[in-house]
Amino acid sequence: MRSEREKMLAGELYDALDPELVAARNRGRDLCQMLNASREGDRELRRFICTELFGDAGQSVWMQPPFYCDYGSNIELGDRVFFNFNCIVLDVCRVTIGDYTMFGPAVQILTPMHPLNAELRRKQEYGKPIEIGSDVWVGGGALILPGVRIGSRSVIGAGSVVTRDIPDGVFAAGNPCRVIRELADNEDNGL
């Protein structure tokens, strides 16, 4: 018989109150609390916490606390990923983030789903993985919902609610988030 953790990671219905999952969440949240209590000059401590917290912490991951997640071990980060203040990653399924990707303040990456049937919802939940490519910029306050893939080199406008896949190399924004236009490789935002 498969464990509740195996079911969770497979995107199947699982019991979130399973003791193994509760212990894993407590571990992740304790590490987040340590990260959030660290001081700006505690770079080595922050790096150590990131290597303990994340499934893969890449090189030079930069966290601007506070940061919150469920497990942390289901988050795989590429090199030079940046999270600004107050980001949340609910990682009941895998969250994969490519190199040089940046998140503005208060971005939420949410993999959990809940059954529409109230009786079932009392006992079980499920999730869908999220994949974010390399060189992505997600503006502040954006919500990235379960099962979404955001392509490399794309920009997500602040406050967007990403409910479906976004292709490579586009600017997308809104609620629901939609592609506004393609981005040119040499685009500099007019700065």
Side-chain angles (χ1 to χ4, degrees), residues 3-75:
S3 71
E4 295 302 308
R5 183 180 192 285
E6 290 169 327
K7 290 188 242 180
M8 177 183 79
L9 290 173
E12 299 171 5
L13 288 169
Y14 71 95
D15 178 4
L17 298 179
D18 174 73
E20 177 189 4
L21 294 179
V22 170
R25 277 195 309 276
N26 288 343
R27 178 189 177 277
R29 290 174 182 173
D30 286 346
L31 287 166
C32 285
Q33 188 173 22
M34 288 174 55
L35 176 70
N36 296 340
S38 68
R39 299 182 58 85
E40 200 62 32
D42 294 337
R43 289 190 175 138
E44 291 302 315
L45 174 62
R46 286 182 179 179
R47 178 68 188 150
F48 172 76
I49 293 168
C50 286
T51 60
E52 291 294 307
L53 178 62
F54 299 120
D56 187 354
Q59 295 294 320
S60 303
V61 171
W62 187 259
M63 306 294 297
Q64 193 60 63
F67 174 83
Y68 304 95
C69 66
D70 272 334
Y71 298 94
S73 59
N74 302 324
I75 302 170

Side-chain angles (χ1 to χ4, degrees), residues 105-121:
V107 169
Q108 296 182 45
I109 301 170
L110 312 171
T111 65
M113 301 280 293
H114 300 277
L116 296 177
N117 177 288
E119 188 173 330
L120 187 56
R121 190 169 54 238

Side-chain angles (χ1 to χ4, degrees), residues 148-189:
V148 166
R149 182 193 174 279
I150 298 175
S152 293
R153 299 175 322 282
S154 286
V155 175
I156 306 298
S160 295
V161 180
V162 185
T163 61
R164 60 183 155 235
D165 291 354
I166 301 297
D168 293 353
V170 299
F171 171 65
N175 180 6
C177 187
R178 62 182 177 78
V179 173
I180 305 297
R181 65 183 176 91
E182 290 186 26
L183 296 175
D185 287 339
N186 63 352
E187 196 154 346
D188 67 1
N189 290 337

